[in-house]
């Protein structure tokens, strides 16, 4: 084999971590900058004619728009990733996210262009959602398919950890801006700075990703012309039940995260009386604890199994959500900080092994589409409308107890979905042998599924 036709060497673990963590961190930095701004200022900047609580609900609508767009992005980039290549799809997601984020940072306020301001805001949020729909799945997949056997959970936890790391960075930006300038200046222009910083980081992410070669699984698919002609159709025909179970496995993660992060901040500022600067610091610690437990639980899942670790996370969610709201309602900033740390740790154990669980639920030719849609459908179910739902429920009942009950029920549903996933995958494998003969020869077919459900 000549030098020109030799396959590039497999990337080191350090390169894989740098590529996947940097890219997802940038994407989530951009995505969560909106959620932070929605909690703090968007009700005043884009919906000034509404009651403050109603304005907050409308601002949270942008979170819903972003999540609703994500399954479409997952289908689009999943198709490209399964047909053309994982690496090409990942480049496109990061570039599109940069365009959407720059637009949000520059869009005029309601006082400047009237109703066009919130309309443009939602359109740009839609663009962000499309990009993020393909980002996480692609980053996870490239990492999983390059990982050495027995390291999949450890390494795929890093792109997942980009979520809290991006949240930490966006929170630090908002904290820095709010500390350096007056509240009036922050509401006028200071909130825009984190979005513009996010655009500058996109180039860094694209450079790092250029160093990652295409995966062996994808090159083998293309070499043997074994790509699915229509990955989405093949996915629904062969793995529809597994897809839905993967989505429901995310439900509790989404509910608890947004109950604590988005609704918790709004509730703490408007009903309990904390300053938003204090609660931004609390969410920073929440994100740090979330980050640490994602990495730890991903590592642990390689040793004791994905299901056991995730069951612990669901149980912790069920047990801690009522204490979280009780502590947040205490009026003590120190106790509120402990509440956010507790919630971050519980959520991390649900999310750390989740990436590897999804990768091991789908065969190579539909894997990008499967894991991207699994997360994004779960995001729609558990995250898209939960901030608005929780805010409206609180407005109607004047108590956080129904919100805690929703989170507790979601933990039971998600645990049941994980328990049923192994059976669903076994049945799907047994009925799809006639059309998946190549996949039985794939080095990443049977072994990872066994590891995932140990």
């Amino acid at each position: 084999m000549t030098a020109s036709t030799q396959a590039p060497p497999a990337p080191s673990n350090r390169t894989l971590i740098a590529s996947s963590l940097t890219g997802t961190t940038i994407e989530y930095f951009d995505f969560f900058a909106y959620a932070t701004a929605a909690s703090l200022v968007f009700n005043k900047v884009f919906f000034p004619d509404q009651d403050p609580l109603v304005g907050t609900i409308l601002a949270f609508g942008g979170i819903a728009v972003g999540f609703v767009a994500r399954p479409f992005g997952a289908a689009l980039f999943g198709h490209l990733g399964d047909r053309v290549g994982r690496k090409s799809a990942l480049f496109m997601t990061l570039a599109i996210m940069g365009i959407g984020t720059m637009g949000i940072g520059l869009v005029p306020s309601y006082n400047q262009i009237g109703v066009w301001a919130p309309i443009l805001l939602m359109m740009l949020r839609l663009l962000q959602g499309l990009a993020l729909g393909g980002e996480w799945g692609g980053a996870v997949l490239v990492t999983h398919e390059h990982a050495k056997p027995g390291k999949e959970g450890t390494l795929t936890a890093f792109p997942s950890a980009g979520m809290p790391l991006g949240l930490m960075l966006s929170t630090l930006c908002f904290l820095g801006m709010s500390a350096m300038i007056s509240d009036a200046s922050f509401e006028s222009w200071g909130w825009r700075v984190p979005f513009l910083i996010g655009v500058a980081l996109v180039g860094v992410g694209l450079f790092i990703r250029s160093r990652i070669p295409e995966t062996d699984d994808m090159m083998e698919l293309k070499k043997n012309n074994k790509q699915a002609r229509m990955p989405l159709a093949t996915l629904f025909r062969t793995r529809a039940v597994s897809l839905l179970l993967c989505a429901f496995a995310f439900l509790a993660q989404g509910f608890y995260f947004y109950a604590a992060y988005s609704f918790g901040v709004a509730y703490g500022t408007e009903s309990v009386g904390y300053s938003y600067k204090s609660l931004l610091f609390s969410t920073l610690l929440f994100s740090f604890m979330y980050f640490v437990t994602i990495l730890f639980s991903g590592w642990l899942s390689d040793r004791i199994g994905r299901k056991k670790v995730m069951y612990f996370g669901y149980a912790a969610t069920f047990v801690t959500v009522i204490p979280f709201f009780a502590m947040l309602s205490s009026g003590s900033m120190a106790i509120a900080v402990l509440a956010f740390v507790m919630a971050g740790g519980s959520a991390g154990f649900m999310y750390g092994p989740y990436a590897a669980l999804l990768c091991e639920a789908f065969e190579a030719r539909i894997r990008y589409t499967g894991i991207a849609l699994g997360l994004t459908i779960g995001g729609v179910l558990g995250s898209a409308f939960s901030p608005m739902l929780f805010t409206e429920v609180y407005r109607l009942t004047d108590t956080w107890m129904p919100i805690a009950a929703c989170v507790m029920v979601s933990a039971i549903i998600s645990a049941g979905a994980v328990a049923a996933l192994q059976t669903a995958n076994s049945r799907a494998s047994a009925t799809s042998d006639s059309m998946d003969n190549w996949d039985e020869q794939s080095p990443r077919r049977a072994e990872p599924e066994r590891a995932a459900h140990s």
Side-chain angles (χ1 to χ4, degrees):
M1 183 178 291
T2 65
S4 61
T5 60
Q6 286 181 345
S12 66
N13 287 348
R14 181 178 299 178
T15 303
L16 281 176
I17 291 170
S19 172
S20 61
L21 181 61
T22 301
T24 55
T25 297
I26 293 169
E27 295 255 6
Y28 278 111
F29 173 95
D30 295 343
F31 199 77
F32 282 122
Y34 179 96
T36 303
S39 298
L40 300 178
V41 299
F42 276 5
N43 60 335
K44 303 173 184 177
V45 176
F46 295 104
F47 308 97
D49 294 338
Q50 303 294 330
D51 173 86
L53 186 59
V54 174
T56 300
I57 293 174
L58 293 174
F60 281 160
I63 296 176
V65 168
F67 275 104
V68 169
R70 286 169 68 174
F72 296 96
L76 171 63
F77 293 109
H79 181 90
L80 293 174
D82 285 329
R83 288 287 302 168
V84 179
R86 323 302 200 196
K87 184 175 179 178
S88 299
L90 273 179
F91 264 75
M92 292 180 66
T93 63
L94 196 54
I96 292 173
M97 176 62 83
I99 294 171
T101 301
M102 179 176 65
I104 292 176
L106 298 176
V107 67
S109 69
Y110 184 93
N111 291 333
Q112 293 173 309
I113 60 173
V115 71
W116 282 106
I119 291 175
L120 286 173
L121 180 69
M122 295 303 152
M123 291 176 63
L124 292 164
R125 185 63 174 174
L126 184 71
L127 201 61
Q128 280 192 321
L130 286 172
L132 194 57
E135 163 62 27
W136 180 88
V140 162
L141 180 53
V142 168
T143 303
H144 184 272
E145 291 185 346
H146 277 305
K148 296 178 181 178
K151 295 291 186 181
E152 293 92 345
T154 301
L155 292 178
T156 56
F158 278 93
S160 296
M163 177 182 175
L165 187 56
L167 177 56
M168 279 191 281
L169 292 177
S170 67
T171 302
L172 282 171
C173 281
F174 278 96
L175 276 173
M177 293 305 302
S178 63
M180 290 188 294
I181 61 179
S182 66
D183 290 348
S185 297
F186 180 78
E187 293 175 6
S188 174
W189 59 268
W191 65 269
R192 299 179 184 273
V193 174
F195 292 95
L196 300 179
I197 290 175
V199 176
L201 295 175
V202 168
V204 177
L206 292 175
F207 171 76
I208 294 175
R209 284 191 170 169
S210 68
R211 303 176 61 188
I212 300 295
E214 187 58 86
T215 69
D216 290 343
D217 282 9
M218 189 65 217
M219 290 192 294
E220 189 73 13
L221 282 169
K222 297 177 75 171
K223 176 182 177 181
N224 294 286
N225 196 28
K226 293 294 185 178
Q227 303 104 304
R229 293 184 61 187
M230 296 295 294
L232 185 62
T234 303
L235 173 68
F236 283 131
R237 181 172 47 172
T238 63
R239 298 280 175 170
V241 175
S242 296
L243 176 66
L244 288 176
L245 291 174
C246 287
F248 279 111
F250 183 83
L251 186 66
Q253 149 70 23
F255 267 41
Y256 201 12
F257 179 88
Y258 279 97
Y261 172 66
S262 289
F263 173 77
V265 171
Y267 168 75
T269 54
E270 296 172 11
S271 299
V272 183
Y274 299 110
S275 70
Y276 67 73
K277 294 180 182 179
S278 297
L279 285 184
L280 280 177
F281 175 75
S282 298
T283 59
L284 184 63
L285 295 179
F286 167 86
S287 304
F288 176 76
M289 192 66 182
Y290 193 29
F291 176 82
V292 170
T293 52
I294 284 174
L295 296 182
F296 174 72
S297 60
W299 170 84
L300 188 62
S301 74
D302 281 332
R303 284 147 182 82
I304 67 173
R306 321 287 186 226
K307 290 169 62 175
K308 292 178 182 177
V309 178
M310 295 182 75
Y311 288 157
F312 176 82
Y314 297 137
T317 295
F318 188 91
V319 170
T320 61
V321 64
I322 289 179
F324 167 79
F325 281 111
M327 295 166 70
L328 184 61
S329 303
S330 68
S332 167
M333 194 63 240
I335 294 176
V337 167
L338 291 177
F340 278 101
V341 169
M342 177 181 65
S346 300
F349 275 98
M350 291 187 285
Y351 199 40
Y354 182 71
L357 185 83
L358 263 63
C359 289
E360 293 154 3
F362 305 103
E363 60 266 30
R365 63 179 183 166
I366 57 170
R367 192 173 288 148
Y368 200 133
T369 305
I371 63 177
L373 274 177
L375 174 73
T376 55
I377 293 174
V380 170
L381 295 174
S383 303
F385 302 100
S386 53
M388 290 189 297
L389 171 66
F390 295 157
T391 305
E392 180 65 12
V393 167
Y394 181 76
R395 187 181 71 84
L396 294 174
T397 64
D398 199 30
T399 176
W400 48 261
M401 282 300 298
I403 299 167
C406 286
V407 175
M408 294 169 75
V409 170
S410 72
I412 296 173
I413 294 173
S414 292
V418 171
L421 186 57
Q422 181 178 12
T423 301
N425 284 341
S426 298
R427 290 177 178 174
S429 297
T431 57
S432 62
D433 286 344
S434 60
M435 62 181 298
D436 290 337
N437 289 331
W438 180 86
D439 287 318
E440 292 178 355
Q441 302 171 8
S442 172
R444 291 193 178 264
R445 172 116 172 111
E447 181 274 325
E449 287 197 9
R450 182 171 60 252
H453 305 293
S454 59

